[in-house]
Amino acid sequence: MSNLFLDNVKKGENSWFRYLITTFSSWVLSSILAGILFGLIIVSYFIFSGNLNSNVIINTMINFESNPTVFFLITFLSFIISTLIFFICVKYLHKRNLLSLVNTSKGKDSSGKSLSWIKRVRWKKIIKGAVIWLIFLSIVEFILYVYAPNSFIINFNIENISLMILLFIIAIPIQVTFEELFFRGYINQAISLKIKQPLLIILISSLIFSIGHILNGGNNLIFMIENVSITFIVGIILSGFTLVDNGIELAIGAHLANNFFAFIITSSEGSLGNFNTIIQIVGIDPIVELLFSIISILIFAFILFLYKKEDVLKALNI
């Protein structure tokens, strides 16, 4: 039994070199271009501000993650370029419509009239995915608070939070959309050309997804392990959403909510950036936090499985 969403891959050209060029261009080439553009912007800023101290300029560029504005700027530049290059590659190399990586909707309605991409995207699914994930993260945060209330520091600075939300809105939706198009759409469908077992497809794509996020744990080894482990499990859940629902909208919503929580609501010491979120968690044993996070998300995955058992088994061809 085939999966409708994975079958979308048959609508285009699938020579191996097309995947190589698309992946390299979307990630490596785009990063180089974004880095060059970012450097030009930073240098121009310091020139117009009258500060030509080369050490300050270099330090700003190297330690971009410590400054939220600079961090979100490079994030926006990188992923807007990645998305544009990815779109071009999908359209002209693979000769496919980008929406074939989003869902299985038809390009025309029952009367034969062409539908715009806005009508073909299931926006309510995005909202649903975000709400589900926010509820899950809130419950996990509450349980952790009950366990270690003294480790929670409230840092509600309305001016800072407003700026962070604005920067988030500008940069993160494009980042999340690109990652979901690439990992849950492009990679899952590409793997399905060679591997027909959906569960194995999910595991492989989730492993690639987690490795790609290894540096998000900062320089702390425990946080790196925690980040890779959690990202791997989250990748499995998001790919499960995608195959069960025949589209990436639920995954986009959940991913957006997850990043909103990480950048705005709560952060742990040692994580990338460690921005001034509303809640900061300090003093908890990293091993305890790692085990707690993994167990929580596994329980969440199990609950989702029980809730959608028949649909999940059908999507996995079990």
Side-chain angles (χ1 to χ4, degrees), residues 117-305:
W117 68 270
I118 294 178
K119 292 184 177 180
R120 293 177 63 186
V121 174
R122 299 173 297 177
W123 301 100
K124 290 182 179 179
K125 294 281 187 178
I126 296 177
I127 296 173
K128 181 179 180 180
V131 170
I132 291 173
W133 206 258
L134 280 176
I135 291 174
F136 160 66
L137 292 176
S138 298
I139 293 173
V140 170
E141 203 72 4
F142 176 74
I143 295 173
L144 188 59
Y145 173 77
V146 171
Y147 168 76
N150 294 329
S151 296
F152 281 64
I153 298 176
I154 305 299
N155 180 38
F156 191 80
N157 181 323
I158 187 63
E159 185 175 329
N160 173 69
I161 296 302
S162 298
L163 174 61
M164 290 292 290
I165 291 176
L166 175 61
L167 293 172
F168 179 93
I169 292 173
I170 293 172
I172 302 306
I174 188 67
Q175 173 246 329
V176 167
T177 300
F178 171 74
E179 289 191 359
E180 291 307 316
L181 282 169
F182 186 83
F183 290 107
R184 251 58 67 182
Y186 189 71
I187 291 297
N188 275 329
Q189 291 181 3
I191 296 173
S192 72
L193 289 168
K194 298 295 183 182
I195 298 174
K196 302 305 178 183
Q197 176 50 252
L199 181 57
L200 190 54
I201 292 172
I202 289 174
L203 292 174
I204 294 173
S205 68
S206 299
L207 179 61
I208 297 172
F209 179 62
S210 64
I211 293 174
H213 286 73
I214 191 170
L215 295 180
N216 286 18
N219 298 320
N220 186 300
L221 180 60
I222 297 299
F223 279 103
M224 289 178 70
I225 294 173
E226 177 181 6
N227 187 69
V228 170
S229 302
I230 291 176
T231 305
F232 175 67
I233 300 172
V234 168
I236 292 174
I237 294 175
L238 297 184
S239 285
F241 280 168
T242 299
L243 267 60
V244 169
D245 200 49
N246 283 315
I248 66 172
E249 289 97 339
L250 282 173
I252 289 176
H255 198 157
L256 267 173
N258 187 78
N259 286 14
F260 180 80
F261 219 85
F263 286 121
I264 308 298
I265 306 299
T266 182
S267 64
S268 300
E269 53 185 341
S271 58
L272 178 66
N274 196 23
F275 301 138
N276 291 320
T277 52
I278 295 174
I279 300 171
Q280 291 184 301
I281 303 174
V282 297
I284 294 182
D285 188 330
I287 301 296
V288 173
E289 189 172 4
L290 168 62
L291 294 175
F292 176 79
S293 299
I294 291 176
I295 292 173
S296 298
I297 206 164
L298 285 174
I299 292 174
F300 176 69
F302 182 66
I303 293 173
L304 286 177
F305 171 74

